[in-house]
Amino acid sequence: MQMNDTRDIKADPAIVWAALLDPEVLKACIPGCQEMTGSPEEGFEAVVVQKVGPVKATFKGAVSVSDIVPGESCTISGEGKGGAAGFAKGGAKVALAPTAEGTQLSYEVEAHVGGKLAQLGSRLIDGFARKMADQFFERFQNVVEGEDDTEAPPEVAEVKKSWLKRLVSS
């Protein structure tokens, strides 16, 4: 499954870049993420709980950041094992470009699944993957722009406040 899209974020590219590599921000933005530890240099470990159709699983896996061009682009890759449910792996090539109103974030996502998940059919998996990517980048945009929290999930609103406070004080 492959897809790509762009988002216009009302924030300076340096702020968007910092958020893209922050484990707290990533944890809040990944739907179902229970735990995220590590650093961009050494990689991240994550635990994500997801339900795809009738299959619910806890995925434990690693996320790495490669092909880093500071402030401009990187590739975020991950692989998670969900026990009997199977596995999921994929990556996103993310590029940032300054615009008059902030930053244009563009991404190309590729995802693969195996095991019971693969038996669900490509239409269901593709729809789920598209929904996950949309939710991630919508949450990410919300955290970075620091806008109204009324419609943000609680974990996003909480991280937004602490992340922006850390960014301003550094």
Side-chain angles (χ1 to χ4, degrees):
M1 194 274 335
Q2 293 182 330
M3 65 179 187
N4 54 45
D5 202 354
T6 61
R7 286 199 173 251
D8 291 317
I9 300 176
K10 295 174 189 151
D12 184 83
I15 291 172
V16 176
W17 180 257
L20 198 56
L21 301 177
D22 187 291
E24 245 185 89
V25 172
L26 293 175
K27 178 183 176 193
C29 295
I30 297 170
C33 189
Q34 306 290 307
E35 197 176 308
M36 173 76 74
T37 58
S39 68
E41 299 79 24
E42 297 174 8
F44 300 102
E45 295 289 321
V47 176
V48 177
V49 177
Q50 277 300 323
K51 183 172 186 204
V52 185
V55 179
K56 182 177 180 182
T58 299
F59 293 90
K60 295 179 181 179
V63 178
S64 62
V65 182
S66 60
D67 304 326
I68 298 172
V69 178
E72 292 181 22
S73 64
C74 65
T75 300
I76 302 171
S77 305
E79 182 169 356
K81 293 182 168 75
F87 71 90
K89 66 179 179 178
K93 292 181 182 182
V94 180
L96 306 178
T99 65
E101 295 166 3
T103 305
Q104 182 179 65
L105 181 149
S106 58
Y107 59 92
E108 296 177 28
V109 175
E110 187 171 343
H112 304 281
V113 296
K116 282 185 182 177
L117 288 175
Q119 295 171 4
L120 294 175
S122 63
R123 287 179 59 190
L124 180 64
I125 296 297
D126 288 356
F128 176 78
R130 196 169 311 282
K131 179 180 158 195
M132 288 282 290
D134 286 345
Q135 283 181 343
F136 173 84
F137 286 107
E138 184 176 319
R139 288 176 172 195
F140 181 80
Q141 184 171 0
N142 190 290
V143 167
V144 174
E145 288 181 346
E147 293 182 354
D148 182 23
D149 293 336
T150 55
E151 295 192 25
E155 64 272 17
V156 173
E158 186 178 313
V159 166
K160 183 190 306 186
K161 290 174 188 166
S162 69
W163 183 76
L164 288 172
K165 193 181 294 182
R166 277 189 295 129
L167 190 64
V168 171
S169 65
S170 59

